[in-house]
Structure formats: structure tokens, C-alpha cells
Amino acid sequence: MSTVLILGAGSDMAVAIARKYAREKYNVQLAARKLEYLVPLQQDLQIRYGITATVHAFDALDTASHAAFYASLPVKPDQVICVFGYLGNQETAQDDWEEAQRIIATNYTGAVSILNIVANDYAARKSGTIVGISSVAGVRGRQSNYMYGSAKAGFTAYLAGLRNRLYHDGVHVLSVQPGFVATRMTEHLALPPLLTATPEQVANAVFSAAAAKKNVIYVKWFWRYIMLLIRNIPEGMFKKMKM
């Protein structure tokens, strides 16, 4: 039975992904800072799906601990899915470096730190799949969330480079652009229903795309064309828009 490691397993998307992989008979390793929140999910996955689920303490911001965390896993996973992220507050981050730093560190530095370790292991083993949950916010900086968007832009570029590097070792890297997703992180936002995916839709898209070895996916297909349009707005016009 294959094993999947889910980094940031406490989020709504991560829970849906864990349930999808367990339903497909993967053993599941749940990693996050607060283990007490993971234990009920761990028990439910084992009882409901008859798989082995384990919980592991992981802090994306504590990069010094990442090598020891990965070395401590009882079984090296066949797939790693990096789900954690932090939307933060754009206006606060403009004046408060700690908030800006947390956004950057969670969405970019922390992800790169742990995935570098996983990538080196997979390259040596000549197998494995890495999935990174990025964001359409990284396609073009907008005034409403450019701190978060710039970190996700870096993460998207990192995943593309990692895919290019690891292809030659037989390792697959999948970049996921979910678009709007109805989660606790976005519950304060007025998201348009037509453009908004559920965590379960993200989970199904991730599983199918990883199995098909796709490179980049948009969970709702029209996001690809929305972002293509936004990307091609002339800068002289774009800077005057309220976005």
C-alpha cells in the first residue's frame, strides 16, 4: 500500500485530501503543528477506510527542524503534498514586518525548506511525487493581496524548476492552482460561488492529476483563462485598476 505525507494537515483542503487518499487505500501521514487536532481525523481515517494513519509534529516556520522531521518518519512516503499556507492581512503586512515575514515564510521559505529535503530523497530513490498547492494570486501582483501573491509566485516558480530538475530522476512534480476555495481561511471573504471550489473538488483534482502525472492544473478550468486575461492586461492599464 502506498503512503502519502500531507504537510499542513489541519486545513480544510488537507482534510479533504487526506480523506480522498484514504478512500483510495493510501496510508496517510498527517503533519501539522497541533497534533491534538489531527488525532480525531487519524482515528476516523483508520476506522472508516481500514488504512494506517499516523500523526507527526511539523512546523513550516521552524526550518531548522525539517531535516529531523523527515528523518523521523516511520515510512518514507511515496507522495508528499504541501498544503500549508497563510493568507495573512495585506494592509497589516504593509506596516508590520512580522506579518509580512510570516506570509513570506509560510508560503515560500517554509515550503522550499521541506521540499528541498524531500526532493533530494526522491532524486536518490529515483521515484516519488511531489504536489504543491500554490495560488492564482501568484500569477500577477494585485494591490489587494500582493504580499501573499508574491510568496505564491515564488512557490510556483520553485515548483516549475523542481519539476524540470527531478524529471531526469523519474520524480514527478505537480503544481496546483486552486483558485477560490471555500475554507476557514477565506470564510471572511465574499467569494463568487461560480468561481469557488469546495475542498472536496480540490482533493479529487489533486488525486486525479497526480495519478495522471499532470504538470500544472487549475481546479476549475476557467481559472486558466481568467488568469491568462489578467496576465495580458497592459501594465499601463493594470496599475490604474482596483484589484
Side-chain angles (χ1 to χ4, degrees), residues 62-233:
D62 185 9
T63 56
S65 70
H66 288 181
F69 158 76
Y70 191 69
S72 72
L73 293 174
V75 175
K76 289 295 178 286
D78 303 284
Q79 284 194 39
V80 173
I81 305 177
C82 185
V83 187
F84 61 80
Y86 176 60
L87 183 60
N89 185 296
Q90 171 66 33
E91 291 188 4
T92 301
Q94 291 168 190
D95 296 322
D96 181 352
W97 172 241
E98 288 191 6
E99 175 71 353
Q101 190 174 42
R102 185 183 175 195
I103 293 170
I104 295 166
T106 304
N107 295 297
Y108 183 70
T109 313
V112 170
S113 171
I114 183 60
L115 293 186
N116 274 349
I117 294 165
V118 175
N120 290 338
D121 177 45
Y122 280 9
R125 292 160 56 186
K126 305 295 183 187
S127 68
T129 296
I130 295 171
V131 179
I133 307 295
S134 192
S135 172
V136 296
V139 173
R140 193 167 189 177
R142 292 174 289 123
Q143 64 177 356
S144 60
N145 68 350
Y146 64 83
M147 294 291 183
Y148 174 78
S150 62
K152 285 298 190 182
F155 187 45
T156 296
Y158 170 81
L159 291 170
L162 198 61
R163 180 164 42 250
N164 185 208
R165 170 197 161 195
L166 294 179
Y167 172 80
H168 306 282
D169 292 311
V171 178
H172 182 60
V173 177
L174 167 65
S175 305
V176 179
Q177 304 279 9
F180 296 146
V181 183
T183 66
R184 284 170 290 172
M185 192 169 80
T186 60
E187 63 185 1
H188 63 290
L189 303 174
L191 301 179
L194 181 64
L195 301 181
T196 304
T198 65
E200 289 73 25
Q201 287 175 313
V202 176
N204 290 335
V206 166
F207 184 85
S208 298
K213 295 193 178 300
K214 292 186 177 180
N215 298 315
V216 180
I217 64 162
Y218 289 77
V219 172
K220 285 186 173 267
W221 62 268
F222 38 73
W223 272 107
R224 181 184 301 276
Y225 301 98
I226 292 172
M227 299 319 297
L228 180 64
L229 177 65
I230 290 175
R231 189 187 299 119
N232 285 293
I233 296 174

Side-chain angles (χ1 to χ4, degrees), residues 16-36:
I17 291 170
R19 292 192 182 283
K20 174 63 179 176
Y21 275 77
R23 194 178 303 120
E24 300 293 340
K25 297 303 179 186
Y26 274 70
N27 291 324
V28 179
Q29 297 172 333
L30 304 166
R33 282 184 303 157
K34 298 179 179 178
L35 295 185
E36 63 271 24

